[in-house]
Amino acid sequence: HESRVGSTLVANFLASDPWALVFSESTPVANAILHCETCSVERQIQLFRDVIMLMGRSPIHKRLFFKLQSITCTKMEIALQAFPETSWVFLYRNPVQTMMSHLDPLKG
């Protein structure tokens, strides 16, 4: 995701479900998908799958969501291959609106 596109709003909405476990820009997930340059594609896929499975273990939750950092979209093929049956969303906003939001002094 890019900043100021509404991804935090979506993550907070998903987290309002007591059966949902939501991770927002989690470092272990980003590290697993980005920082195994010397690994084979198969190893990268397995590493990503292992991290997701370990983080998602919960006796309470029935649904699992990850909001990934925008830099991870350069390696989305790893995520898609690791979980080919999993639905996913790429949230975006008109770039002009995003830039204007960054320039608005009232929005910090």
Side-chain angles (χ1 to χ4, degrees):
H1 84 283
E2 176 59 56
S3 60
R4 299 201 178 156
V5 297
S7 60
T8 299
L9 179 66
V10 172
N12 289 341
F13 171 74
L14 294 169
S16 70
D17 176 357
W19 301 111
L21 180 57
V22 179
F23 291 95
S24 186
E25 300 186 26
S26 172
T27 301
V29 174
N31 286 343
I33 203 168
L34 294 172
H35 300 298
C36 194
E37 295 91 7
T38 61
C39 297
S40 67
V41 171
E42 293 79 19
R43 179 69 186 121
Q44 288 178 313
I45 292 167
Q46 189 59 53
L47 178 61
F48 182 75
R49 189 179 290 136
D50 290 346
V51 169
I52 296 295
M53 297 301 284
L54 286 169
M55 291 179 69
R57 292 184 62 155
S58 170
I60 300 167
H61 301 97
K62 300 184 184 326
R63 288 174 279 287
L64 178 62
F65 300 95
F66 286 88
K67 179 179 112 173
L68 303 179
Q69 299 165 349
S70 57
I71 188 67
T72 62
C73 66
T74 62
K75 298 281 189 164
M76 279 310 292
E77 72 277 358
I78 300 298
L80 296 173
Q81 290 179 49
F83 298 100
E85 302 297 317
T86 301
S87 301
W88 62 281
V89 173
F90 184 82
L91 186 62
Y92 66 96
R93 181 180 180 189
N94 180 323
V96 173
Q97 293 173 338
T98 302
M99 288 184 279
M100 295 306 292
S101 177
H102 279 286
L103 295 173
D104 186 343
L106 299 177
K107 294 188 179 177

